[in-house]
Each structure stands twice: as C-alpha cells, then as structure tokens.
C-alpha cells in the first residue's frame, strides 16, 4: 500500500494498521532528511497549510510548523486569541474565509471534541486534528508509538501502561487505539475518579496501584493532570496524587527490570514525574518531541499526495 485509506487525519480510530505502517515508513525517511545538513525537501512547494489553534499549544504547534517548513509548504498561522473569533465569527466562517485564500490543508486544535470531524464535513480542505478537547490527539499517539518502536524495536507484544488523568486525556484515547492496532497490550492506571466508566469496552487492563502497574509494563506513559478541564475535585490534594500516582527514581530502582518512561508534555515536574526520572536514561521524552517532526512531515506529505490526485 502506498497511500493512506483516509483523506483527513481526524483520529486514530479512523486508521488501519497499514496506514500506521505507511506513516512510520515515511517518517523513517523524513527523520533521515531532518538530520542532514540541509534539512529541507521541495516536496510541498505547491501546497498551502493553515495552522488554526483555538487552544494553547507549545510542542504540537511548533512541530507542525517546522514539519510544514521542512517540506517547503507555504504556512499560515492563526491563533484564536488574536482573531475575529473574539467578535463572534463562527468556526465555519473563520475557516471558509481562510480557505478562500487558496489554502489546501488545515491543522486544527480546538477545545470541542469532534471539531475536526465537523469541519471536514463543511469545508473543502484536508483536515488534521491537532487535538480536539478530551477526544483524540492522533499525531501525538503516532509519535508515541514510533518512539516506542525506535527504543524497543517494535510495538507488537509490548506492555504499555498509561498513568494518570485518563478521563480528560485525548492522548490516552488515541494511544489506546494506536497501541492496540499494532498488537500492544494496554493498561490504564490512576485514581478511580479519573478512569472513565466506558474503559472496559476498550479492552484495556485497569489498575489503581502504580507499583503493580510498573512491575507489569515495558513502557509507562505518564500523563499530566488536566486541571483546566476539571470543574470539580477528583482527588483530595496534589500531594496525595503524587504519593500514589507520581513516578520517582525510588520506584524505578525497586523494579527488577528497566522500563521506558514517556510523557506527552507539558510536564508538571514533581507532580506526575520527578526531575530525576524525566531527565534519566529511562526517559524518551525529548525523543518523542524530536520524532514528532518526522511523524508530522509524514502525515502531511501522505495527505497532500491525496489532494494532488
Ligand atoms: N503534547 C502536546 O500536545 O503538547 P502541547 O499542548 O504543548 O502542544
């Protein structure tokens, strides 16, 4: 297979295993490109991409912009805070105005789950979901699996625990779909209040004891507690959360094996992860960020190939 089965990247749940393999093979090529002295290829000189961020971002926004520039695309950056959205313009009007400037592809982060799907039904452009509320963050899950493959040789057969605020996490849902498609076994671990009731239907193991989870896994993906999505308290205090669900060096030293530690960022040092773990050889956190550029180049390149058909 040399093309994606989809015209948009709206979520991992719309992809199949061959799509993920194609994205990874293409990312392998672009990873080699971005390590050359001249880190740019002319592939997308005829493509214009708008990055629409209706919610804060550091890694995803910069990573998409860099990926687009490395592919020689023309890039427009839009942030809702400085836009006419504040004057009451609708999402479709905003995007259609941008598209009338001959834009081919839209990368969008939005606080509302399903915003990307909605947009893909109303505008003529290829849409990439850069995170929609607590729903999906597909490029994050792709770069996470790619980084596991890079460190451990493959994703198939690996045991991955996702720790923390599963309830409010788009990273958790996209990772569960991506890891299962590739044959990994997935566990979620956190306070019962932060594990969604529907989780059993996703075929994952559930654990509320972090030590048990760390003993079980090959990889622990530590999530941030998403206070900005919480209207009520889900645990007594941050200190107690850290005591029960924070990873620290003593916990890792007590294991009879080495495990890989991941985090999508931004990190709350001293809450879900201590600095001596985040900055240790166990951690592949900065590899994840670096791989994000190659993965996003691959996704953009493969979707652009479908626009050109
Ligand atoms: N991992 C991630 O999505 O980070 P940002 O919110 O900084 O983009």
């Amino acid at each position: 297979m040399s093309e994606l089965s989809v015209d948009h990247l709206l979520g991992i749940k719309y992809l199949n295993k061959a799509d993920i393999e194609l994205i990874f093979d293409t990312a392998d090529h672009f990873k080699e490109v971005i390590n050359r002295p001249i880190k740019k290829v002319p592939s997308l000189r005829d493509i214009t991409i708008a990055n629409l961020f209706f919610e804060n971002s550091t890694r995803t926004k910069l990573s998409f912009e860099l990926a687009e520039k490395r592919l020689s695309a023309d890039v427009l950056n839009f942030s809702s805070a400085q836009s006419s959205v504040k004057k009451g313009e609708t999402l479709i009007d905003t995007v259609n105005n941008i598209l009338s400037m001959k834009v081919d592809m839209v990368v969008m982060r939005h606080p509302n789950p399903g915003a990307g799907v909605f947009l893909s039904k109303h505008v003529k452009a290829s849409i990439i979901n850069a995170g929609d509320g607590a729903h999906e963050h597909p490029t994050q899950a792709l770069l996470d699996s790619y980084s596991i493959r890079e460190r451990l040789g493959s994703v198939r057969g690996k045991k991955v625990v996702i720790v923390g605020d599963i309830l409010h996490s788009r990273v958790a849902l996209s990772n569960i779909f991506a890891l299962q498609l590739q044959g990994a076994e997935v566990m979620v671990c956190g306070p019962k209040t932060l594990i969604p009731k529907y989780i059993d239907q996703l075929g994952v193991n559930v654990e509320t004891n972090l030590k048990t989870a760390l003993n079980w896994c090959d990889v622990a993906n530590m999530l941030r507690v998403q206070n900005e999505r919480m209207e009520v308290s889900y645990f007594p205090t941050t200190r107690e959360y850290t005591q029960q669900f924070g990873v620290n060096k003593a916990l890792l030293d007590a294991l009879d094996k080495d495990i890989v530690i991941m985090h999508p960022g931004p990190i709350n040092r001293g809450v879900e992860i201590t600095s001596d773990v985040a900055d240790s050889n166990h951690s592949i956190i900065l590899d994840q960020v670096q791989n994000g550029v190659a993965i996003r180049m691959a996704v953009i390149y493969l979707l652009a190939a479908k626009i050109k058909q």
Side-chain angles (χ1 to χ4, degrees):
M1 191 186 93
S2 60
E3 67 169 29
L4 292 174
S5 67
V6 291
D7 295 328
H8 311 274
L9 180 60
L10 301 172
I12 300 290
K13 69 167 168 273
Y14 303 105
L15 300 183
N16 58 45
K17 190 165 175 268
D19 288 325
I20 294 185
E21 282 166 4
L22 177 61
I23 292 167
F24 285 4
D25 289 347
T26 311
D28 284 344
H29 167 69
F30 287 129
K31 185 151 179 172
E32 186 264 314
V33 167
I34 58 183
N35 283 303
R36 288 180 196 161
I38 296 172
K39 302 170 172 55
K40 225 171 155 157
V41 286
S43 316
L44 299 194
R45 273 189 309 205
D46 51 347
I47 293 282
T48 304
I49 305 176
N51 299 316
L52 312 188
F53 278 73
F54 294 86
E55 203 185 65
N56 294 344
S57 170
T58 300
R59 278 146 292 273
T60 312
K61 189 165 184 284
L62 292 176
S63 180
F64 267 112
E65 190 176 341
L66 194 57
E68 291 152 6
K69 288 179 173 167
R70 296 277 190 252
L71 290 165
S72 303
D74 289 324
V75 179
L76 295 177
N77 284 313
F78 165 96
S79 150
S80 63
Q82 288 101 38
S83 75
S84 291
V85 170
K86 297 281 169 212
K87 300 175 194 165
E89 192 170 50
T90 66
L91 176 60
I92 292 179
D93 280 340
T94 299
V95 176
N96 272 329
N97 275 273
I98 292 167
L99 293 181
S100 68
M101 300 178 211
K102 304 282 180 217
V103 168
D104 305 290
M105 194 179 285
V106 171
V107 174
M108 185 171 74
R109 170 166 289 191
H110 200 280
N112 294 347
V117 174
F118 174 76
L119 200 60
S120 70
K121 291 185 175 149
H122 290 89
V123 302
K124 278 193 180 161
S126 183
I127 310 293
I128 300 178
N129 176 9
D132 59 333
H135 180 222
E136 281 228 36
H137 192 351
T139 54
Q140 179 70 46
L142 290 167
L143 73 88
D144 288 344
S145 286
Y146 186 81
S147 302
I148 293 172
R149 187 187 80 149
E150 185 177 70
R151 177 60 80 102
L152 298 179
S154 80
V155 176
R156 185 170 181 75
K158 299 297 178 297
K159 293 177 173 174
V160 181
V161 62
I162 306 170
V163 182
D165 182 1
I166 312 298
L167 184 67
H168 300 100
S169 175
R170 53 193 172 213
V171 174
L173 195 58
S174 287
N175 260 277
I176 290 168
F177 292 144
L179 290 164
Q180 288 180 337
L181 264 181
Q182 296 166 89
E185 207 178 331
V186 186
M187 173 184 279
V188 295
C189 176
K192 273 191 183 145
T193 49
L194 288 176
I195 295 180
K197 300 231 178 325
Y198 63 78
I199 203 80
D200 293 340
Q201 295 160 28
L202 298 181
V204 302
N205 304 303
V206 180
E207 179 57 63
T208 52
N209 184 301
L210 181 61
K211 277 186 196 165
T212 308
L214 295 179
N215 268 307
W216 172 85
C217 75
D218 302 303
V219 179
N221 195 351
M222 306 303 298
L223 301 182
R224 182 175 65 88
V225 173
Q226 309 220 0
N227 291 310
E228 71 276 20
R229 297 194 202 285
M230 295 182 185
E231 280 153 18
V232 294
S233 291
Y234 287 82
F235 45 84
T237 62
T238 302
R239 190 158 163 263
E240 281 165 272
Y241 178 87
T242 300
Q243 278 171 352
Q244 284 191 57
F245 298 103
V247 68
N248 57 50
K249 187 141 188 314
L251 277 173
L252 295 188
D253 288 346
L255 302 175
D256 56 10
K257 58 178 177 180
D258 278 348
I259 64 167
V260 176
I261 299 290
M262 304 176 70
H263 195 306
I267 294 175
N268 280 323
R269 286 178 184 261
V271 180
E272 69 274 5
I273 189 167
T274 51
S275 285
D276 55 8
V277 173
D279 304 330
S280 72
N281 290 335
H282 291 277
S283 161
I284 59 167
I285 294 170
L286 292 180
D287 298 335
Q288 291 171 257
V289 177
Q290 191 184 77
N291 288 334
V293 179
I295 283 289
R296 290 178 174 116
M297 285 174 82
V299 167
I300 293 165
Y301 176 83
L302 291 165
L303 289 176
K306 299 203 80 173
I307 294 172
K308 290 178 186 178
Q309 277 174 2

